[in-house]
Amino acid sequence: MAKATMMTGEGAEEIVEELGISHDIIHEHEELAEKYMKVLYALGLLSIAGLVANSKKHAKASLVSYIVLLLAVAGVVFSKFVGTSGGEIRHTEIREVATNQTNEIEHSEHHNDDH
C-alpha cells in the first residue's frame, strides 16, 4: 500500500502546485513519505523473516519479533509526522509558521494591554 500511496502522491503534487501551494511544503511531505515508505518496506521484510523464523522454531525468532514490534511502533509515530505534514499542505492553520505568528500576535496584544 505504501507504493500505491506514493504513486498517487505524484498526481496530487501537480494539482496542489497549480493551486499555488508552496513547493517547499510539498517537498517536505514528499521526503517524509519516502522515508516512511522505507520503514514500511523494512517492517514488511522483517515481519516475513519473523514468520519464517517462528515457523521453524529458530533461536532468534523472539529477537526478530521484538525488533518487528519496535519498528512497528516507530512506523506508527512516523506515520503521524507524514500525515501532519500532508495536512499542512492545505490546512494553513496547523502549520508551525502560522502557529508561531499567531503566538507572536497574541503575545504582542497581551503586552500592549499592560500599558
Side-chain angles (χ1 to χ4, degrees):
M1 294 310 294
K3 185 64 175 172
T5 303
M6 289 294 292
M7 290 170 53
T8 61
E10 293 298 323
E13 178 181 8
E14 299 300 323
I15 292 170
V16 295
E17 282 182 344
E18 289 178 12
L19 297 174
I21 304 297
S22 167
H23 179 74
D24 293 338
I25 294 170
I26 298 167
H27 183 71
E28 179 184 343
H29 174 65
E30 184 178 9
E31 290 296 314
L32 285 170
E34 287 173 357
K35 290 175 186 173
Y36 178 56
M37 186 174 70
K38 291 175 185 175
V39 169
L40 291 180
Y41 285 157
L43 179 61
L45 291 173
L46 280 173
S47 296
I48 292 169
L51 284 172
V52 171
N54 277 319
S55 69
K56 294 185 177 189
K57 309 277 190 235
H58 193 275
K60 302 284 185 184
S62 62
L63 176 64
V64 174
S65 295
Y66 286 120
I67 293 171
V68 166
L69 178 63
L70 290 174
L71 193 56
V73 170
V76 168
V77 172
F78 212 110
S79 71
K80 181 262 181 207
F81 292 118
V82 174
T84 301
S85 72
E88 289 174 357
I89 293 171
R90 291 289 294 156
H91 296 282
T92 57
E93 70 275 9
I94 64 172
R95 289 185 195 157
E96 187 174 285
V97 174
T99 303
N100 289 338
Q101 289 174 348
T102 302
N103 289 340
E104 290 174 8
I105 291 169
E106 289 175 358
H107 183 268
S108 156
E109 289 173 354
H110 289 297
H111 188 311
N112 290 338
D113 290 343
D114 294 338
H115 292 286

